Amino acid sequence: MAFISLPNPVLPLSGPARPVLSPLRPTSARPARPAALPVSATAAPENWKDVKAAASDAKDAATDAVKDAAKGMGLGPDTTALGSLTVSSLGIGTWAWGDRLFWGYKPEQDKALQAAFNACVDGKVNFFDTAEVYGPGQSERLCGRFAREYKPSEGATPLEGDIHIATKFAPLPFRFSRKSVVDALKSSLNKLGAEKVDMYQIHWPAFLQEQAFWDGLADCVDLGLVTEVGVSNYSAARVKACHKLLSARGIPLVSNQVQYSLLHRNPELNGTKEACEELGVKILAYSPLAQGVLTGKYSATNMPTGPRKFALRKAIDDSLPLLIVLKDIAEKRGKTVSQIALNWCMCKDAIPIPGVRTVKQAEDNIGALGWRLSADEVAALDELSLSLNKGNSTMAMPMGDSDFLIPKI
């Protein structure tokens, strides 16, 4: 899989030409999106009777979602549209690639991380999400290097086209202007070793400087530094405001990256997912396995290490009834618990981006592609997970769904 280098008059670089991670812009039409959940299914449940009623109302929507997902999958590779990009229906999040505090990263892990990256691409996963604050910067360096050095394994048939990489701008307190977005992207491109990146996102709400940063995203497109733009941790109202500003400049908002899983269904319950669907904004689901809780490997006697040991204790307790159903479906389908949880996200027309650090984890994630849960299975998981949803039972971005200080566009 080769990269194609294109001249970039905006960002002069010394030395050999650097690769453009994705110079091609496929013209395939965006697949039809499933209808949003009925209003009765998006209200937070008060008791078990309400949960059953909500699940019953949602079943038709689940059926339509699964049918649409199957149509999009077709007989070929399991891919979806992300603006003008064609990406695998499952991506990979790379927060752990460089993060020492939360994930205990060590440089000697790089060989294993590269092997995991290669296994993902070999297995038809071509979308990787990083950020300037992951590491900080080390995740971007590793993503860029792994993409440049990738060579298919013997017998592997990766997706045709380029490896797609998305990165994110951190709206830190010392950044005030639209130019800071452009400058930050140029710094990220240097770390990635590229002249252009596929997607650039605002990592979390900026509140005071928000409109300037949205204009900065559009400037990055106009300068030819990025193909598509998105946001992360945005509420429904904030997505609508950003979409309106970008649309006025002729630039689509293609994604909103939010925490979304069977244990964290806030995007459905607070209207964010419905607003995104109405605007054609794709949901990128981070922590789709609830940082390992939905793999089924953790329990009260087998806790994760590091900060997760304390942050996820409640989520692990909350997940027990759900894991019983997940294991039952997994056994009947010959799949793993993780694959069922990831496939549920895809049936909801979201792109899950679980993390990987080993080839084994990569192969497990790949096993979620190429098939879909039935409408009855989705409805059963919906019913139970709604009864367990506690809003922030797993770690979430503070004020991530806040409507505080949204610019009037």
Side-chain angles (χ1 to χ4, degrees):
M1 182 177 296
F3 292 103
I4 301 176
S5 296
L6 294 177
N8 188 336
V10 177
L11 184 61
L13 299 170
S14 59
R18 294 187 175 184
V20 177
L21 292 178
S22 180
L24 303 179
R25 298 176 65 93
T27 57
S28 56
R30 182 187 299 273
R33 294 177 179 273
L37 287 175
V39 173
S40 59
T42 59
E46 295 292 336
N47 52 49
W48 183 249
K49 183 181 293 185
D50 291 339
V51 169
K52 294 185 73 174
S56 177
D57 290 342
K59 188 170 181 179
D60 288 342
T63 301
D64 291 341
V66 172
K67 287 180 178 178
D68 287 345
K71 289 177 183 177
M73 186 173 63
L75 298 177
D78 198 344
T79 60
T80 189
L82 190 55
S84 64
L85 308 172
T86 299
V87 303
S88 48
S89 297
L90 175 147
I92 297 297
T94 63
W95 175 19
W97 298 8
D99 182 89
R100 297 174 185 268
L101 177 63
F102 198 80
W103 294 102
Y105 165 79
K106 298 177 182 178
E108 51 265 34
Q109 296 172 350
D110 288 358
K111 185 176 181 180
L113 294 177
Q114 186 165 19
F117 178 97
N118 292 343
C120 288
V121 183
D122 282 348
K124 297 186 181 348
V125 173
N126 71 346
F127 180 62
F128 295 83
D129 177 78
T130 183
E132 63 173 332
V133 296
Y134 295 169
Q138 181 65 2
S139 176
E140 290 180 320
R141 294 185 190 95
L142 292 176
C143 283
R145 177 164 69 85
F146 295 167
R148 289 192 302 273
E149 296 177 357
Y150 170 74
K151 294 180 180 179
S153 301
E154 185 177 354
T157 56
L159 291 176
E160 293 183 3
D162 295 289
I163 297 170
H164 299 299
I165 293 181
T167 191
K168 297 186 283 294
F169 165 82
L172 300 171
F174 57 82
R175 290 172 167 169
F176 299 100
S177 68
R178 58 200 289 177
K179 183 177 181 295
S180 64
V181 182
V182 176
D183 291 343
L185 178 52
K186 289 180 179 179
S187 177
S188 288
L189 289 171
N190 284 331
K191 298 184 187 78
L192 289 164
E195 294 182 350
K196 185 176 183 179
V197 73
D198 298 290
M199 177 179 289
Y200 200 40
Q201 308 152 88
I202 295 179
H203 205 151
W204 59 82
F207 304 116
L208 294 177
Q209 296 85 30
E210 203 120 57
Q211 186 169 343
F213 292 161
W214 296 345
D215 274 317
L217 279 182
D219 292 344
C220 289
V221 176
D222 290 342
L223 290 169
L225 303 178
V226 63
T227 301
E228 301 288 1
V229 294
V231 293
S232 181
N233 297 296
Y234 269 36
S235 67
R238 206 171 293 275
V239 165
K240 291 176 181 178
C242 182
H243 182 275
K244 184 176 180 180
L245 181 144
L246 291 175
S247 294
R249 292 189 57 176
I251 294 170
L253 177 68
V254 304
S255 68
N256 182 20
Q257 185 176 149
V258 294
Q259 183 176 186
Y260 184 47
S261 72
L262 281 162
L263 280 180
H264 192 95
R265 295 182 65 183
N266 276 17
E268 288 178 78
L269 302 175
N270 63 20
T272 299
K273 187 173 184 290
E274 182 177 1
C276 288
E277 289 171 345
E278 290 174 353
L279 296 172
V281 176
K282 195 78 171 181
I283 290 288
L284 304 183
Y286 72 77
S287 295
L289 297 176
Q291 296 178 10
V293 176
L294 292 175
T295 65
K297 64 182 179 182
Y298 297 131
S299 67
T301 57
N302 181 35
M303 299 291 290
T305 59
R308 288 188 301 156
K309 179 177 182 179
F310 307 100
L312 300 180
R313 184 178 298 276
K314 189 175 187 303
I316 291 170
D317 291 339
D318 289 346
S319 69
L320 294 178
L322 182 60
L323 286 171
I324 292 173
V325 177
L326 285 169
K327 289 176 181 177
D328 180 62
I329 296 174
E331 289 176 0
K332 291 177 180 178
R333 281 189 165 269
K335 299 292 182 179
T336 67
V337 169
S338 300
Q339 290 164 359
I340 302 300
L342 293 172
N343 200 273
W344 176 88
C345 284
M346 289 186 278
C347 287
K348 295 291 186 175
D349 198 35
I351 300 176
I353 50 171
V356 298
R357 288 187 285 177
T358 66
V359 170
K360 182 178 180 181
Q361 290 173 343
E363 292 173 345
D364 192 44
N365 289 342
I366 292 166
L369 291 167
W371 57 281
R372 291 295 184 270
L373 293 165
S374 70
D376 286 342
E377 289 168 330
V378 171
L381 291 170
D382 281 353
E383 178 179 351
L384 182 53
S385 66
L386 276 175
S387 73
L388 300 174
N389 186 76
K390 301 295 191 299
N392 291 325
S393 60
T394 55
M395 292 185 66
M397 181 67 66
M399 299 183 71
D401 56 2
S402 170
D403 289 340
F404 180 64
L405 291 178
I406 297 177
K408 295 182 179 179
I409 307 300

